[in-house]
């Protein structure tokens, strides 16, 4: 199976690559030497897809969000998550569907704050829930046996030093455990689902 993994150099991306290492992984991201991509730009995503050729799966572990107090949040701050994590992943799905083999799959990433809001996380909650809504709607229309799912992990154990203060009382999950849900999405049969890893 030929899999495009966007966000491959991040903590979660590396774990996904390891879990799916029995397949051919094309590791893409902003800092990738072989498969560079800016998911906020149509032309960049289209150039990446031309380079990869036909794919069996697209997995995204990419996307920036804004964390900050609502009282200080500007529309431009909120737009960070909309333009990057939301529209970036939607862009990968919309453009990528045409480069998938019959029966191929798309897997996007959301997060626990779609269901469990946190302080300073209004942007993250809105973006993650919107991605899950897109996945549910898109699954109803994809042709050729194509599937689409999302994975919603809790805060990663490996990221607690950086983000733990935002998640008081949350149980972190190891990246390797979260990565199993991506394998389930890629190799399984379900579509329109959000796989929670909490």
């Amino acid at each position: 199976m030929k899999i495009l993994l966007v966000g491959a150099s991040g903590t979660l991306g590396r774990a996904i690559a390891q879990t799916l290492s029995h397949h051919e992984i094309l590791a893409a991201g902003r800092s990738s030497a072989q498969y560079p991509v800016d998911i906020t730009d149509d032309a960049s995503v289209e150039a990446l897809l031309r380079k990869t050729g036909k794919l069996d799966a697209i997995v995204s572990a990419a996307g920036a969000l804004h964390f900050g107090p609502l009282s200080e949040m500007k529309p431009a701050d909120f737009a960070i998550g909309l333009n990057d994590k939301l529209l970036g992943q939607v862009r990968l799905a919309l453009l990528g569907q045409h480069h998938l083999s019959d029966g191929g799959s798309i897997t996007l990433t959301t997060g626990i704050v779609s269901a469990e809001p946190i302080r300073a996380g209004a942007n993250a909650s809105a973006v993650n829930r919107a991605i899950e809504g897109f996945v549910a709607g898109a699954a109803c229309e994809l042709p050729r046996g194509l599937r689409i799912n999302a994975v919603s992990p809790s805060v990663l154990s490996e990221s607690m030093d950086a983000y733990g203060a935002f998640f008081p009382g949350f149980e972190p999950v190891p990246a390797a455990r979260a990565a199993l849900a991506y394998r389930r999405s890629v190799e399984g049969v379900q579509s329109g689902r959000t796989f929670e890893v909490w």
Side-chain angles (χ1 to χ4, degrees):
M1 195 178 287
K2 185 178 175 184
I3 302 171
L4 173 63
L5 173 57
V6 180
S9 65
T11 301
L12 182 56
R14 292 194 304 273
I16 295 167
Q18 179 63 38
T19 297
L20 295 174
S21 61
H22 53 293
H23 298 293
E24 179 186 359
I25 303 293
L26 309 183
R30 282 193 174 96
S31 60
S32 172
Q34 190 173 6
Y35 296 104
V37 66
D38 175 2
I39 63 172
T40 68
D41 181 70
D42 284 6
S44 179
V45 173
E46 288 169 343
L48 170 66
L49 293 168
R50 284 194 300 272
K51 187 172 186 180
T52 62
K54 207 70 166 174
L55 298 162
D56 298 301
I58 296 169
V59 175
S60 173
L65 293 164
H66 173 76
F67 288 92
L70 191 71
S71 60
E72 300 172 10
M73 195 178 300
K74 305 289 191 298
D77 297 324
F78 197 84
I80 292 170
L82 297 181
N83 293 328
D84 202 309
K85 186 168 185 179
L86 174 57
L87 290 179
Q89 293 195 97
V90 168
R91 180 174 288 108
L92 283 171
L94 294 179
L95 298 175
Q97 64 179 320
H98 307 294
H99 295 263
L100 286 170
S101 302
D102 291 358
S105 71
I106 300 166
T107 307
L108 307 181
T109 297
T110 68
I112 193 171
V113 295
S114 64
E116 299 292 340
I118 59 172
R119 184 178 290 110
N123 182 239
S125 291
V127 165
N128 287 333
R129 191 168 290 190
I131 293 165
E132 292 169 8
F134 170 75
V135 163
C140 299
E141 295 188 55
L142 283 173
R144 301 186 291 110
L146 300 179
R147 299 180 300 106
I148 185 169
N149 295 298
V151 175
S152 174
S154 184
V155 59
L156 300 178
S157 303
E158 295 87 345
S159 302
M160 285 299 285
D161 286 347
Y163 297 107
F166 288 103
F167 293 90
F170 283 67
E171 183 177 355
V173 299
R177 181 173 158 231
L180 291 174
Y182 293 85
R183 182 175 182 182
R184 181 178 170 192
S185 178
V186 170
E187 298 179 2
V189 298
Q190 294 169 304
S191 190
R193 293 286 306 279
T194 295
F195 299 119
E196 298 169 348
V197 189
W198 298 352

